Structures are given as C-alpha cells and as structure tokens.
C-alpha cells in the first residue's frame, strides 16, 4: 500500500467514524425528544385526570347540600375538606359567610398566579399555549361558592370553564373560544341582574330557568338558575356536568357536550349541524299558564284586591279583559342574600 492510499483509507475510516457518531447523536436526540414528549403527555394527562377527580368529589359534596337545611356544621366540614383550594373575604361566621373554592388545571393556575411575571407575547411566540394543549393540557377551571346565612346554607353556585383548543375549534364564525356553564340558586326567578331565561319557561318548570347572555363574544355560555324548592334529583340533573371534557382526546366544542341538560334548547343554533331537525314552533306561554304561587314568589309587590266590575275589550287584534278593583292590602318583598321578608299595610 502506498502512502497516498494509506491517507485515503484513513480519511474514509475517519468519515465513517464521524458518520457513526452523527447517527448515534441523532438517534439519542430523537429518543430524548420522544421521551420528553411522552413525559409531557403523561404529566398533562395526570394533572387533567387529577383535576377531574377533584371536581367530581367537589360536585358530589355540593350535591349533598340541602338549601335552607344544611347547617353551619355542614359548611365547616366542606371548608375543612377543601381548605387548600378555598377562600373567603372579610369575616366568615355562622351568621354570614361567603366561601369560594377554585379548582383549575396547571396552565390556568400558572397564568393566574404569575400573571405579573409572565411575558404573554413571548409565550405566544414560542407557541407555549399551543404545545400545552397539543400534549393534552386543557385550560379549565371549576369555581364553587356557597353562602351561609343565620346558621344554614342559603345559596350555592358552580361555574365550569373549558377553553376549546384552536386545533379543535369548529368553524362557527369565530376563533378560539371558551365553553362556560354556570349554575346557581336564587330565592326568586324574576327578571334582574344574573337572571337569564324567559319567564315563559316557568309555565313548564316553575322552579328553574335556563338561558344565555347576549354579549359573550369569545365564548358559548349557559346559565341555570333554580330555587331552593326544586327537588334534589332535579338539581343534580341540571348540574350534572360532563367531566369527560376535561380528559378526552377530542375536545368538547359545544355546550350540549358539557351540560346535557341544555340539549334541545337551541341556545346557540349556529353550533348545530345543518341537518339538525327543527322543532315545530310553539305558541308562547301565556302569563296565566304560570302557577300563581310562582308569580307571587317572584313579584316585588302584590296587591290584594276586590273586583268591582269586569269588561272585555278588543285591542291590536286581541281580546283583553279589564277590571275595576279596590285595593285591600299591599304586600312587598325585600331580599338579602336570598332571604325574604313580607309585610302588609
């Protein structure tokens, strides 16, 4: 072998050695990236399933509450059990206490507790939010509140928020959005702040309303409001969240998936398929179809009268009945955290 051939052989061996090292490095890098992806997916799934487990336990505890019957001792048991996630402002006693519990995923908690430290523009540039959702993370939170008044639990509320990942967002005419479902109790269901749903619903179910707000531009939202007199089985049906939306691979994209109780109400027709069967039109309920006790429950003022005379008149193509009455008594109602006091004069 000549000297030139020896140099050529050495170069070939050196190139082969470099290629072997490069192949080993690429394999190790690929295995490392794959292992990191598997680890991230496992961590994301673990924390989502842990969140789902805690939400299930919390809902079970709230479903065990009997409005106006569960006592301050029952409230203290809940506060002790959920103290790591609970909070209250001001004083909290048997006479007056508003207690809140917040459960959320890792991403939501990080954004909420470190909002002043994080650079959102940089995180978006690095696609951190998208990566978190791709590996199975779901920006989601559950907020539960209950109010204690005069030694008993008077009100409860629950709100579930789930953000729909961009890659799962259907073409509803808007981009990334959130699914929001809120359920809460009220002493009365008269129109007012936070009361959604038409009064006509009371003709079919006098103790609850279901509605949606009009100004939610980046969300689909449903609100269920019920009175303390609603049967416990009905309360559980109306507040039965589909918690598989927290862990399933294919994200939930409609309110009906999150809360089956709103199915068929057509709160957002734009989210329904084009071939969805259209319900036949229904005549609007008349005020007389609503039970009189429900009208009295929701009224701010009630007049007790004697009818002196009645007559029927035609107006705008409809027949109306008018009566001349004599007022005997006036009953008015004031509310404080769900309490009502009545007096007459």
């Amino acid at each position: 072998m000549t000297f030139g051939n020896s140099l050529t052989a050495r170069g070939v061996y050196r190139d082969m050695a470099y290629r072997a090292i490069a192949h080993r490095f690429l394999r190790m890098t690929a295995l490392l990236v794959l292992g990191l992806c598997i680890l991230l997916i496992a961590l994301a799934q673990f924390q989502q399933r842990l969140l789902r487990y805690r939400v299930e336990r919390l809902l079970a505890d709230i479903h065990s509450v009997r409005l106006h019957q569960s006592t301050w001792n029952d409230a203290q048991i809940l506060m002790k059990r959920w103290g790591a996630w609970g909070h209250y402002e001001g004083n909290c006693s048997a006479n007056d206490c508003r207690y809140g519990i917040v459960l959320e995923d890792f991403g939501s908690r990080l954004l909420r507790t470190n909002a002043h430290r994080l650079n959102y523009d940089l995180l978006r540039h690095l696609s951190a939010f998208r990566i978190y959702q791709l590996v199975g993370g779901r920006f989601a939170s559950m907020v539960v509140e209950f109010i204690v008044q005069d030694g008993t639990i008077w009100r409860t509320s629950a709100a579930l928020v789930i953000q729909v990942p961009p890659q799962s967002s259907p073409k509803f005419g808007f981009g990334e959005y959130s699914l929001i479902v809120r359920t809460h109790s009220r002493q009365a269901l008269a129109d007012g702040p936070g009361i959604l749903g038409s009064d006509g619903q009371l003709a079919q179910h006098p103790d609850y309303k279901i509605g949606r707000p009009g100004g939610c531009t980046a969300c689909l939202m449903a609100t269920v409001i019920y009175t303390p007199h609603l049967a416990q089985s009905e309360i559980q049906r109306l507040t039965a969240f589909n918690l598989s939306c927290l862990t399933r691979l294919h994200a939930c994209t409609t309110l009906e998936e999150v809360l089956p109780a709103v199915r068929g109400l057509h709160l957002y027709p734009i989210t329904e398929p084009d071939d969805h069967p259209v319900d036949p039109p229904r005549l609007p309920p008349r005020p007389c179809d609503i039970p009189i006790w429900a009208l009295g429950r929701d009224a701010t003022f009630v007049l007790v009268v004697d009818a002196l005379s009645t007559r029927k008149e035609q107006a705008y193509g409809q027949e109306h009945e008018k009566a001349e009455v004599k007022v005997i008594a006036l009953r008015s109602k004031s509310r404080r955290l769900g309490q009502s006091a009545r007096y007459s004069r």
Side-chain angles (χ1 to χ4, degrees):
M1 179 182 295
T2 63
F3 180 74
N5 290 337
S6 175
L7 290 178
T8 302
R10 290 179 182 177
V12 171
Y13 294 149
R14 187 166 51 249
D15 290 343
M16 292 177 63
Y18 288 157
R19 288 176 183 176
I21 294 173
H23 284 308
R24 283 197 297 270
F25 176 77
L26 291 176
R27 281 200 302 270
M28 292 178 61
T29 302
L31 291 174
L32 181 62
V33 171
L34 179 61
L36 180 61
C37 290
I38 293 175
L39 178 61
L40 290 176
I41 293 173
L43 290 175
Q45 285 298 313
F46 172 77
Q47 64 99 20
Q48 291 296 145
R49 293 185 181 279
L50 180 60
L51 173 64
R52 177 178 174 178
Y53 172 79
R54 287 173 175 166
V55 171
E56 288 174 345
R57 301 283 76 75
L58 178 58
L59 284 178
D61 283 346
I62 291 300
H63 285 161
S64 69
V65 172
R66 299 297 186 267
L67 298 176
H68 296 189
Q69 298 178 30
S70 296
T71 65
W72 170 244
N73 290 334
D74 298 321
Q76 287 182 304
I77 291 174
L78 293 177
M79 288 187 282
K80 182 178 180 181
R81 182 175 301 164
W82 297 100
W85 302 273
H87 65 279
Y88 62 89
E89 296 181 3
N91 297 323
C92 183
S93 66
N95 293 327
D96 190 2
C97 181
R98 181 188 293 266
Y99 195 83
I101 302 167
V102 179
L103 300 177
E104 54 195 344
D105 70 292
F106 170 78
S108 298
R109 184 169 61 254
L110 179 66
L111 294 176
R112 179 177 59 85
T113 57
N114 296 276
H116 61 289
R117 301 177 183 176
L118 298 177
N119 188 326
Y120 290 96
D121 292 335
L122 177 61
L123 291 175
R124 289 191 179 92
H125 179 72
L126 297 175
S127 299
F129 301 144
R130 185 70 58 86
I131 294 173
Y132 176 71
Q133 292 170 323
L134 284 174
V135 298
R138 293 282 186 273
F139 289 104
S141 62
M142 167 66 80
V143 179
V144 167
E145 288 187 344
F146 58 86
I147 295 176
V148 178
Q149 188 74 30
D150 298 331
T152 58
I153 298 178
W154 278 77
R155 286 192 192 177
T156 59
S157 67
L160 178 63
V161 181
I162 302 176
Q163 187 172 353
V164 180
Q167 65 270 17
S168 301
S169 300
K171 304 302 180 181
F172 292 154
F174 44 85
E176 190 172 359
Y177 62 99
S178 297
L179 299 173
I180 305 174
V181 177
R182 185 167 186 261
T183 66
H184 59 103
S185 62
R186 286 290 182 90
Q187 188 70 19
L189 301 180
D191 289 339
I195 303 292
L196 302 177
S198 66
D199 285 344
Q201 297 181 29
L202 301 179
Q204 298 176 330
H205 36 77
D207 278 313
Y208 71 88
K209 284 183 177 181
I210 300 177
R212 50 154 285 194
C216 200
T217 57
C219 70
L220 303 177
M221 181 177 179
T223 299
V224 180
I225 308 141
Y226 54 91
T227 73
H229 308 290
L230 186 63
Q232 194 68 20
S233 58
E234 275 293 276
I235 293 178
Q236 293 183 10
R237 182 185 69 85
L238 293 173
T239 59
F241 298 102
N242 176 18
L243 299 181
S244 69
C245 292
L246 297 175
T247 54
R248 57 189 288 185
L249 294 177
H250 300 287
C252 295
T253 59
T254 63
L255 288 173
E256 290 79 3
E257 292 175 278
V258 179
L259 188 66
V262 305
R263 186 171 289 118
L265 299 181
H266 311 298
L267 295 179
Y268 291 90
I270 192 174
T271 66
E272 298 173 355
D274 296 334
D275 58 350
H276 190 278
V278 179
D279 295 337
R282 297 180 180 178
L283 294 176
R286 300 173 303 172
C288 293
D289 294 332
I290 302 175
I292 190 169
W293 58 264
L295 294 174
R297 176 199 64 202
D298 297 341
T300 304
F301 296 95
V302 176
L303 297 176
V304 181
V305 302
D306 271 344
L308 302 178
S309 64
T310 61
R311 65 181 184 276
K312 294 183 179 180
E313 297 181 354
Q314 292 287 337
Y316 304 102
Q318 295 182 348
E319 186 178 80
H320 299 267
E321 185 174 352
K322 291 188 176 181
E324 182 180 352
V325 300
K326 177 183 179 181
V327 177
I328 298 176
L330 166 67
R331 296 182 182 273
S332 66
K333 180 169 56 176
S334 62
R335 300 186 184 92
R336 179 175 179 267
L337 292 180
Q339 286 184 301
S340 63
R342 300 190 179 190
Y343 61 89
S344 61
R345 61 180 181 181

